[in-house]
């Protein structure tokens, strides 16, 4: 199993470790609910070093990225981040990613841990097939550790360790500089829906920076956060997770990612299939569901409208903030309007749920 | 982690306290710790017939769904309704306030088949 540079620190903290897509990762420390609420109310520290970093450089880097991705990378300025995705020619999703622009000839993708090898191979294949010259791809995933500091107190905590002008760093922007004398990328992004940062730093410095952040954050209620709360936090905000809301079989239009799928930009891998799907009518829609009865929706539970099975739950949990079951589901368009009452088969009991537009928690 | 001597235990991580021909049933400290924060409990209705080794209820944590199995054959005599609104009691008091059901045993001697605290601890030492 693969380990991040922070593995021993998690064990010393008494984390419960799990196999997450081949990575030995902390699923919880103090408990999912306590950790979840800490991020919403003060701050949490996440080891996300399993995520991948793939660098794209060269004179034609932007042209290649425009061909590779669904969003319009030409809109990015230096120091900006964009949420995007790679699609197969058939329209299904290879991965959802964030794209960092350092200059017009240097970019970096942050990709999902379980998809690093698949993505890098895909990027190489797309490059080769495109015959775009002067583009270099480097998988730098092993060089980088990644630590996410998330929550309303995140800026205050990070400011203890750096002179970087954090107050001027806008959402989905990044800068490079020193945090506690370690050169790193400081990105105002995250997967919790709270204010916060994702730090990309040399793997060798991860332990020191983690401990310094924990110490700086202690007066502010900073807690280490496992994958369990990472999932409930993203679900309350309705964020997609690859392998659940996104896959080779699910297009970005179905997955609620039409807002990043720029069908009016020049040709890109998957565009023709997506244009055709939009013209024919998207056959299913990703929706949010809030339980109207006691019961917790789980991935794979079928969704009914009357006697007709109209879809399936792709992720579900008890919302620690709302104390009610919430889910993301793929359903037929007729069942997708906000406010529609549907039923989820919870272990063979039909339970009422209502279609709601995420975020479930503001 | 505690495993009271006076209780009996199952391989599915339930505990049983025998009170004459009634068996009080809950899940062990080991089980609640492994589950994490319990957020939902589903219990049978009073009068339901249960069979040893068959699921009679469900415990859900934030992340996972787990069946709870009847340690003994019999009829549900009483259920702990407090758990419906406060399932976290299972985490905070697995052996006392977190009891789940009382089963009127069909055969009181069935309880002899269950593990004692020592055997159960040996089992979980093997599992973890």
């Amino acid at each position: 199993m693969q380990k991040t540079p922070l593995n021993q620190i998690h064990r010393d903290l008494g984390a419960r470790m799990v196999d997450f897509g081949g990575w030995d990762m902390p699923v919880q420390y103090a408990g999912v609910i306590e950790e979840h609420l800490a991020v919403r109310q003060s701050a949490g520290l996440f080891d996300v070093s399993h995520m991948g970093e793939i660098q794209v450089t060269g004179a034609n880097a932007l042209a290649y990225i425009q061909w590779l991705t669904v969003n319009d990378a030409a809109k990015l300025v230096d120091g900006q981040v964009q949420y995007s995705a790679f699609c197969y020619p058939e329209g299904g999703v290879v991965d959802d990613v964030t794209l960092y622009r350092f200059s017009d000839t240097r970019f970096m993708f942050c990709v999902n841990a379980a998809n690093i090898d698949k993505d890098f191979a895909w990027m190489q294949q797309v490059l080769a097939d495109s015959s775009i010259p002067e583009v270099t791809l480097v998988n730098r995933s092993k060089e980088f550790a990644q630590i996410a500091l998330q929550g309303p107190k995140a800026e205050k905590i990070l400011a203890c360790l750096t002179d970087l002008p954090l107050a001027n760093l806008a959402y989905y922007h990044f800068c490079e500089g020193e945090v506690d004398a370690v050169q790193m990328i400081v990105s105002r992004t995250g997967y919790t829906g709270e204010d916060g940062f994702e730090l990309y730093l040399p793997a060798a410095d991860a332990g020191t920076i983690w401990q310094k952040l924990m110490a700086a954050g202690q007066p502010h209620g900073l807690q280490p956060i496992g994958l369990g709360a990472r999932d409930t936090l993203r679900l309350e905000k309705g964020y997609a997770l690859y392998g659940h809301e996104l896959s080779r079989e699910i297009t970005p239009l179905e997955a609620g990612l039409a807002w990043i799928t720029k069908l009016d930009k020049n040709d890109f891998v998957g565009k023709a299939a997506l244009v055709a799907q939009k013209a024919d009518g998207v056959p299913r829609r990703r929706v949010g569901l809030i339980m109207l009865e006691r019961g917790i929706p789980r991935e794979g539970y079928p969704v009914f409208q009357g006697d007709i099975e109209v879809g399936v739950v792709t992720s579900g949990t008890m919302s620690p903030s709302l104390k009610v079951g919430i889910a993301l589901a793929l359903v037929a368009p007729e069942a997708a309007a906000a406010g529609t009452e549907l039923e989820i088969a919870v272990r063979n009991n039909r339970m009422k749920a209502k279609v709601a537009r995420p975020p479930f928690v503001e | 982690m505690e495993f009271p001597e006076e209780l009996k235990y199952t391989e599915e991580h339930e505990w049983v306290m025998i009170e004459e021909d009634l068996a009080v049933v809950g899940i062990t400290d080991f089980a609640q710790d492994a589950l994490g924060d319990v957020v939902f409990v589903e219990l049978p209705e009073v009068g339901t017939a249960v069979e040893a080794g068959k699921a009679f209820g469900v415990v859900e944590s934030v992340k996972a769904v787990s069946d709870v199995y009847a340690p003994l054959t019999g009829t549900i005599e009483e259920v702990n309704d407090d758990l419906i609104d406060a399932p976290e009691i299972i985490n905070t008091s697995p052996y006392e306030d977190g009891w789940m059901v009382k089963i009127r045993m069909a055969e009181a001697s069935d309880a002899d088949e269950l593990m004692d605290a020592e055997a159960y601890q040996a089992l979980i030492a093997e599992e973890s």
Side-chain angles (χ1 to χ4, degrees), chain B residues 59-75:
Chain B
V59 175
E60 296 194 41
S61 66
V62 179
K63 289 297 287 176
V65 183
S66 293
D67 285 323
V68 187
Y69 298 91
L72 301 151
T73 297
T75 309

Side-chain angles (χ1 to χ4, degrees), chain A residues 243-266:
Chain A
H244 301 263
E245 286 70 45
L246 296 168
S247 75
R248 185 170 196 146
E249 281 71 45
I250 304 170
T251 73
L253 302 181
E254 295 170 313
L257 299 184
W259 63 281
I260 65 164
T261 308
K262 301 297 160 64
L263 298 177
D264 53 355
K265 79 165 182 174
N266 285 340

Side-chain angles (χ1 to χ4, degrees), chain A residues 16 31-33 228 231-232 294-296 298 301 317-318 347 349, chain B residues 33-34 36-37 39-40 42 58 60-65 84-85:
Chain A
R16 177 163 302 144
V32 175
I33 294 175
D231 194 50
T232 54
R294 198 187 293 274
I296 305 173
R298 304 283 183 184
Y301 287 0
T317 191
M318 169 69 80
R347 293 185 305 279
N349 296 324
Chain B
D33 183 68
D37 297 329
V39 292
F40 180 85
E42 189 176 282
V58 171
E60 296 194 41
S61 66
V62 179
K63 289 297 287 176
V65 183
I84 303 302
D85 287 323

